[in-house]
Amino acid sequence: MAVRGQVRSLLLDYPDATYEKIGSIAGCSKQRVHQIAKKTGLTRMRRPPHYRKDITVDKVLELYQRDLLLQEIASTLGCCSSTVTKRLREAGITAGECFSRSMKLDWRGSYHCRDDITVERVLNLYHNDDLPIKEMAQTMGCDQVTVRKRLREAGISKSERFSRGAAIRWRRKRGKGNESQTENLSS
């Protein structure tokens, strides 16, 4: 009975101590410590041998609350993004939230929206530079979805965007054909 009470108090006082260490202090085997822990409801989650103890839930949450992406948190802590996701899941953050935070696309909601890409900036490229949506996205360093969303916010319909894109492709194709004909005539 004395061993059971001593093991129970050691389990409560030293939550990071191994069953083997508690057993050596109490004078019993690690299996007996596990049995006592199981009977008293103090069993611990088994961690794999490669578990990173240096990356705590608190560290990950601190960086997560600074609105860093999962990859940025992982590179800051020197681990892989799955470790960051596991710690966030331990903290009670759902898998969907972890996944949406790992994406930069704005279709995940206003929280992930790229604020630096304004409607005015997109319209400037749309009207003045006469670029297709794909090249506008490359110029601004964002996804085509973001450009389409800003154009939709500006009131430019899908059919208007499509017909404009077709006109640009046609002009470019025609322009390339004329250049090659001009070169043939000059030689």
Side-chain angles (χ1 to χ4, degrees):
M1 201 61 137
V3 173
R4 184 178 290 168
Q6 186 180 10
V7 167
R8 187 176 185 282
S9 66
L10 287 170
L11 285 168
L12 292 170
D13 293 340
Y14 302 102
D16 290 335
T18 62
Y19 288 161
E20 191 173 349
K21 190 170 201 163
I22 291 172
S24 67
I25 294 170
C28 62
S29 67
K30 65 180 180 181
Q31 289 84 3
R32 180 67 182 140
V33 173
H34 177 69
Q35 288 172 349
I36 294 169
K38 194 173 181 181
K39 284 181 183 176
T40 56
L42 298 172
T43 56
R44 300 182 182 153
M45 285 185 5
R46 188 161 185 217
R47 293 183 174 153
H50 58 276
Y51 185 83
R52 295 280 307 265
K53 291 180 182 176
D54 59 324
I55 299 173
T56 63
V57 173
D58 295 332
K59 284 182 186 177
V60 173
L61 274 178
E62 179 186 330
L63 295 171
Y64 184 79
Q65 290 166 349
R66 289 188 201 165
D67 292 336
L68 294 177
L69 299 171
L70 296 185
Q71 281 293 347
E72 294 169 339
I73 295 171
S75 64
T76 302
L77 295 174
C79 65
C80 61
S81 58
S82 64
T83 303
V84 173
T85 303
K86 287 174 189 172
R87 297 305 182 278
L88 290 172
R89 299 284 290 131
E90 288 175 25
I93 295 172
T94 65
E97 288 176 281
C98 292
F99 178 73
S100 66
R101 180 64 77 87
S102 69
M103 304 298 287
K104 278 193 173 181
L105 302 179
D106 58 350
W107 51 268
R108 292 276 174 208
S110 60
Y111 183 79
H112 302 282
C113 194
R114 295 279 308 264
D115 295 332
D116 58 323
I117 299 174
T118 61
V119 173
E120 293 80 23
R121 188 173 168 201
V122 171
L123 284 176
N124 185 32
L125 286 173
Y126 185 79
H127 292 301
N128 298 339
D129 294 349
D130 203 31
L131 294 175
I133 290 174
K134 184 176 182 179
E135 290 179 25
M136 289 168 59
Q138 290 171 347
T139 303
M140 290 186 283
C142 68
D143 196 57
Q144 293 179 40
V145 175
T146 306
V147 175
R148 285 190 201 102
K149 184 176 180 181
R150 296 300 183 271
L151 290 172
R152 197 169 40 248
E153 289 172 7
I156 297 174
S157 67
K158 186 175 183 178
S159 60
E160 186 180 346
R161 290 192 318 258
F162 182 76
S163 62
R164 180 181 173 275
I168 290 171
R169 285 190 296 276
W170 183 77
R171 278 194 303 257
R172 287 184 177 180
K173 187 176 179 182
R174 198 177 105 208
K176 287 181 183 175
N178 288 343
E179 290 171 5
S180 61
Q181 289 174 357
T182 310
E183 289 174 10
N184 289 339
L185 291 176
S186 62
S187 45

